[in-house]
Amino acid sequence: MKILFDSRTGNVKRFTEKLPFECERITESSFVDEPYILLTYTTGFGDLSPKTRQFLESNHRWLVAVAASGNRIWGDRFARSADLIAAMYHVPILHKFELSGTATDVAHFIQEVHSIDNTNAKLSTKVGSA
């Protein structure tokens, strides 16, 4: 599964460096034509970064799930960018983690990615066999 990310302060980037997957940072010119999971951060008072918002406007078609970083001091706005993306594009939230995440956060995220990969493999097999 392709993993794409946006990081401003480096927390999300540090999280991706703990993963056993190849992760690619989004840019203004990023184009995606395959299923992917988005890792992003929350900015302001619980909003999406402008770069993430712009990226999704052009690349939401293949979005499978989202995960987000945040800071718990924001209470119910913690990692709210994941909530916004999930609602806007009808995808599940894989995980919310604080700052660059803990070992437990990384393990949970990996487990969720494998679960999505297994589900997609089963669907692919069912479609091809009839």
Side-chain angles (χ1 to χ4, degrees):
M1 178 66 56
K2 187 173 193 97
I3 311 284
L4 299 175
F5 74 95
D6 190 10
S7 183
R8 181 184 65 200
T9 63
N11 285 324
V12 176
K13 183 175 185 334
R14 281 189 293 282
F15 184 83
T16 64
E17 291 167 350
K18 301 173 194 176
L19 299 173
F21 312 115
E22 185 177 326
C23 300
E24 180 183 325
R25 189 175 207 141
I26 65 170
T27 66
E28 289 79 18
S29 61
S30 291
F31 176 75
V32 184
D33 60 357
E34 63 184 290
Y36 70 94
I37 295 168
L38 179 65
L39 280 162
T40 192
Y41 63 94
T42 303
T43 191
F45 295 102
D47 203 2
L48 302 176
S49 77
K51 187 196 304 184
T52 296
R53 189 177 296 277
Q54 178 185 6
F55 169 79
L56 285 169
E57 285 173 6
S58 302
N59 293 286
H60 64 273
R61 179 174 180 232
W62 293 100
L63 180 64
V64 172
V66 64
S69 172
N71 192 317
R72 293 194 188 280
I73 64 169
W74 292 105
D76 63 352
R77 294 183 187 161
F78 167 68
R80 187 167 172 257
S81 61
D83 300 320
L84 296 173
I85 292 168
M88 287 168 33
Y89 299 108
H90 310 288
V91 296
I93 298 170
L94 287 192
H95 194 55
K96 293 180 177 184
F97 55 95
E98 188 166 27
L99 303 174
S100 62
T102 64
T104 302
D105 292 316
V106 171
H108 180 81
F109 181 81
I110 292 168
Q111 179 182 359
E112 292 296 321
V113 171
H114 287 311
S115 175
I116 287 174
D117 279 343
N118 289 338
T119 301
N120 286 343
K122 287 177 187 172
L123 289 174
S124 169
T125 303
K126 286 182 181 177
V127 170
S129 62

